[in-house]
Amino acid sequence: MVDKSDLDVGLDQLRHDVAEQRKLYVSAKIALYNALVRTYLWWREASKIEGYLEERFEQENIGYHFKLNRPNFNPVIRLVFKMQQHLQNAQISNW
């Protein structure tokens, strides 16, 4: 049977584990945002070369729809992050 001291030790371990997980989460989120910024900057340069992105999308079998009045960044995310066409659509849109 477990006593209070065992539970206290377990609670301390859980708190330690959660604190470590939080550090990893924050670090991963910062790394993601850094990658998204670098992707955007790369896209700005790549979009200056007419046809380059379309050619890369075709090579990688990335389908996309033209947006009438704004760039469609989703295929760029798929290209850089190597995400499949119909998987993780909500995540791609959020990014």
Side-chain angles (χ1 to χ4, degrees), residues 78 84-89:
R78 286 191 177 92
Q84 294 181 8
Q85 185 67 25
H86 297 291
L87 298 177
Q88 303 161 318
N89 283 335

Side-chain angles (χ1 to χ4, degrees), residues 6-48:
D6 292 334
L7 291 173
D8 288 342
V9 169
L11 178 58
D12 288 342
Q13 183 62 50
L14 283 170
R15 286 178 173 168
H16 176 268
D17 293 349
V18 167
E20 288 301 311
Q21 181 276 330
R22 178 75 179 147
K23 289 178 192 173
L24 292 172
Y25 173 77
V26 169
S27 176
K29 203 167 192 177
I30 290 169
L32 170 63
Y33 292 155
N34 189 343
L36 289 171
V37 167
R38 290 183 14 244
T39 298
Y40 171 75
L41 294 173
W42 176 85
W43 167 79
R44 285 185 53 165
E45 294 301 317
S47 65
K48 292 177 184 176

